[in-house]
Amino acid sequence: MFKYGFLLFLFGKCMSQAAENIHFFNTLSRKKEKFIPIEKGKVKMYTCGPTVYDYAHIGNFRSFLFEDILRRWLEYRGFQVTQVMNLTDVDDRTIAASKKEGIPLKEHTGKYVKAFFEDLDTLHVQRASIYPRATEHIPEMVALIKKLMEKGYGYVGEDGSIYYKIAKFKNYGQLSKFKVAELKVGARVKVDEYDKEQAQDFALWKAWDEGDGDVFWETEIGKGRPGWHIECSAMSMKYLGETLDIHTGGVDNMFPHHENEIAQSEAATGKKFVNYWMHCEHLMVEGKRMGKRFGNYYTVQDLTKKLKHDPRAVRYLLISTHYRQQFNFTFAGLEAAKNVVDRLVNFMYRLLDADGKDCGEETQLLMMQVNKSFGEAMDDDLNIGIALAALFDFVRDINNLIDVGKLSRRKANEVYAMMLGFDKVLGVIGDVRKEEKLPKEAEELIRRREEARKAKDWKTADQIRLQLQAMGITIQDTPQGIKWRIEKHQTNPTKNDSHM
Ligand code: AMP
Ligand code: ZN
């Protein structure tokens, strides 16, 4: 008893120390830095959300899943995270797409917002604290633009649009690493997306033109619509304050989007906008970035509904490569991911069945080791590859103990609880106890078998058992009553399975 208490004490100590020892790669400094939040125990995190002009593809979801893992990890370490993810429901792309379809903007984007939330649920992405829509924050954007004009950072161009004067902001280029002196001073760009070589004064507010159709707002700064970048500055600062702990997005967001967000926000407030910038590398297809414009993409629905792939495998595939490394999407990779997920789920079933002799200390040691290795790896800039390797070693070792009848019921419960803890971060296994639900037909058969047994009609009882077996359901009569299980998973993986 004393020993066990002592080990728990050590676990607790490990957890709290690790919370103090998280390091993230900050794109701003291009270095790993110790993570220190502005307010102890709390994290303010802003995430660039989807542009809802079409279905998001799994490349977009790679970024959203990185953000999900980041948030889950911070929560695992005890932080209270406020995550804001915007929905870009007005910009060049949404207007062009709704025009092409001949559908009003709100109706068009509404369809894809709905699909986005469905996809989040399919991939077990935890909901952010709030999902502000750009179209619902026009007054905040106008106020911010007015402030920038008052301070001399915003000016009106010949077309009536309002532009940001990048030459006035000394630190322009700090995120993308280029110097204002090398830029085309005075040249202007009105589109939302452009290359680094085209860095110019960008549009804060776009004066209405025919191309915008009925998408405009009549405001103090004229009839028009916001530029894409001002949307995120206004919404992030409204919900999280003038300085955020973490701002995330995919690497393509770094320029011009995030560079411009910094320029707008810091010029307006005079304060540092973001302490830690974190960017997710691209999901690729045959060496090329997955993207709508390349036509090389799959949506979540393509994979899970049309092609019937397990959503957990899709999730596992997208989270299992370190977020700062590119990787190629392949169907072979998806199959391999499915195998890993099945083995993890299968392990949980084995734990539920384990009933061996006590080998407490050995199990306890393995639990401490995996807790430490998994935690240290994730604290080190979310090094999920190492964390998963530690987990697979653990699963293999515990499987070996089960094979030789050395995992007691009590210890198996502890391991099960620990696996659920890791899965709070990974989100790929689930609590298999909750998942199993008997089909109605099987429930009825079990009831009839009970009746037969009470009547000592062993022949009927056996027949029903066989019938259930044919349906893939095994039953066991125990002193506590009937136990049943759906045999959709193999119960005894061979010891030399890869990974575990
Ligand atoms: P969008 O809907 O285009 O605004 O993109 C939503 C998020 O997906 C942004 O954070 C992008 O940087 C990110 N993203 C776009 N393409 C990819 C990709 N191939 N791999 C990873 N992230 C991506
Ligand atoms: Zn954004």
Side-chain angles (χ1 to χ4, degrees), residues 291-445:
K292 283 275 155 62
R293 75 186 86 149
F294 310 119
N296 59 355
Y297 63 91
Y298 292 95
T299 64
V300 174
Q301 296 215 2
D302 286 339
L303 294 183
T304 58
K305 295 233 166 77
K306 277 194 214 143
L307 299 173
K308 306 271 178 251
H309 286 282
D310 183 341
R312 289 185 293 195
V314 178
R315 180 178 168 99
Y316 182 85
L317 178 70
L318 294 175
I319 64 168
S320 53
T321 298
H322 189 258
Y323 76 93
R324 283 193 293 113
Q325 264 172 18
Q326 292 182 342
F327 82 95
N328 270 307
F329 170 78
T330 62
F331 281 98
L334 189 53
E335 282 303 320
K338 166 79 179 145
N339 285 337
V340 176
V341 172
D342 279 352
R343 286 198 199 114
L344 287 171
V345 170
N346 192 48
F347 177 60
M348 299 299 268
Y349 281 110
R350 290 201 86 201
L351 289 173
L352 291 180
D353 277 351
D355 204 4
K357 290 218 171 62
D358 203 354
C359 189
E361 276 182 34
E362 196 173 341
T363 313
Q364 199 65 36
L365 202 66
L366 290 171
M367 285 169 76
M368 281 192 67
Q369 265 168 7
V370 69
N371 192 52
K372 185 168 180 290
S373 315
F374 189 95
E376 281 175 0
M378 291 300 283
D379 283 341
D380 180 15
D381 194 32
L382 307 179
N383 198 336
I384 198 151
I386 307 254
L388 288 171
L391 185 66
F392 298 149
D393 284 347
F394 175 71
V395 171
R396 184 201 55 222
D397 293 342
I398 297 288
N399 261 329
N400 288 343
L401 287 180
I402 298 176
D403 286 343
V404 293
K406 277 171 122 187
L407 189 73
S408 69
R409 193 59 257 123
R410 189 170 65 87
K411 277 285 159 220
N413 281 341
E414 285 173 26
V415 174
Y416 191 92
M418 182 174 221
M419 290 297 289
L420 285 185
F422 290 137
D423 197 48
K424 273 207 160 136
V425 183
L426 303 173
V428 290
I429 310 174
D431 188 346
V432 298
R433 290 169 305 189
K434 280 192 218 149
E435 265 175 25
E436 289 211 319
K437 206 163 178 275
L438 276 180
K440 281 248 158 349
E441 199 190 341
E443 272 178 19
E444 176 58 19
L445 282 173

Side-chain angles (χ1 to χ4, degrees), residues 50-51 57 59-60 63-64 93 250 252-253 281-283 289-290:
T51 306
H57 54 70
N60 301 131
S63 284
F64 302 141
R93 284 190 286 173
D252 55 296
N253 279 167
E281 257 301 344
H282 282 146
L283 179 66
R289 169 186 165 193
M290 181 178 283

Side-chain angles (χ1 to χ4, degrees), residues 15 18-24 34-37 41-47 66-83 126 245-248 276 278 378-379 382 424-425:
M15 291 279 283
E20 308 282 307
N21 209 19
I22 296 180
H23 287 73
F24 291 137
K34 190 177 165 84
F35 177 66
I36 304 167
K42 294 194 174 158
V43 179
K44 294 189 277 184
M45 170 170 161
Y46 187 82
T47 298
F66 142 66
E67 287 140 357
D68 185 49
I69 295 286
L70 169 61
R71 174 182 159 185
R72 283 169 178 253
W73 184 247
L74 288 165
E75 286 177 345
Y76 185 91
R77 283 306 195 204
F79 290 101
Q80 190 190 320
V81 183
T82 308
Q83 182 191 10
Q126 273 176 4
D245 290 302
I246 303 177
H247 192 316
T248 62
Y276 302 85
M278 295 177 72
M378 291 300 283
D379 283 341
L382 307 179
K424 273 207 160 136
V425 183

Side-chain angles (χ1 to χ4, degrees), residues 46-49 86 88 228-229 231-233 247-248 253 257-258 261:
Y46 187 82
T47 298
C48 284
N86 74 297
T88 306
W228 173 33
H229 319 298
E231 296 180 3
C232 283
S233 282
H247 192 316
T248 62
N253 279 167
H257 189 47
H258 293 163
E261 274 187 52

